[in-house]
Amino acid sequence: MRRFFEWLFRLRFGTRLKPFAALPGPHPLYPLGTLGDLLGGAPWDVFADYGEKYGPMSVAWLGGRPVVLLNDPALIRSVLVENTEDYYKNYPLRALTPVLR
């Protein structure tokens, strides 16, 4: 049954998957993507586990929206400090608030 929902996700969001095909990450399931992994756990813990499982850069799917996850301090510094204009990112305060408290 899982393979069916993976296939359905690829069918529905195939054009969105292509640019991220080279990045490791969990297989998304239709319609939630990888949101099911977040059930019962804190998002930062789940995504930190992705870092251990898939490496310093991976992709997660929140519904049909890809999210690139960085779990390496050098990559994070590159995006937030050194090459900030080269990357699109939302204002991170809301996302970082749980970590900063």
Side-chain angles (χ1 to χ4, degrees), residues 8 20 26-27 33 35 44 48 54-56 64 71 74-75 78-79 81 96 98:
L8 204 53
F20 301 95
H27 294 281
L35 278 172
W44 47 90
Y54 301 110
N71 281 300
L75 290 174
S78 173
V79 170
V81 178
L96 292 175

Side-chain angles (χ1 to χ4, degrees), residues 23 51 60 70 91 97:
L23 289 177
L70 303 177
Y91 185 67
T97 299

Side-chain angles (χ1 to χ4, degrees), residues 56-89:
M57 184 168 32
S58 61
V59 65
W61 290 87
L62 306 181
R65 294 182 58 191
V67 178
V68 176
L69 303 169
L70 303 177
N71 281 300
D72 176 55
L75 290 174
I76 295 168
R77 179 177 175 75
S78 173
V79 170
L80 294 179
V81 178
E82 296 166 358
N83 302 312
T84 188
E85 298 299 321
D86 294 341
Y87 300 96
Y88 168 79
K89 51 199 163 298

Side-chain angles (χ1 to χ4, degrees), residues 34-50:
T34 57
L35 278 172
D37 293 349
L38 299 174
L39 296 175
W44 47 90
D45 290 335
V46 172
F47 294 148
D49 289 342
Y50 282 7

Side-chain angles (χ1 to χ4, degrees), residues 10-30:
R10 284 192 307 273
L11 180 68
R12 171 65 177 88
F13 299 111
T15 57
R16 294 183 194 174
L17 284 166
K18 285 181 185 178
F20 301 95
L23 289 177
H27 294 281
L29 303 174
Y30 188 80

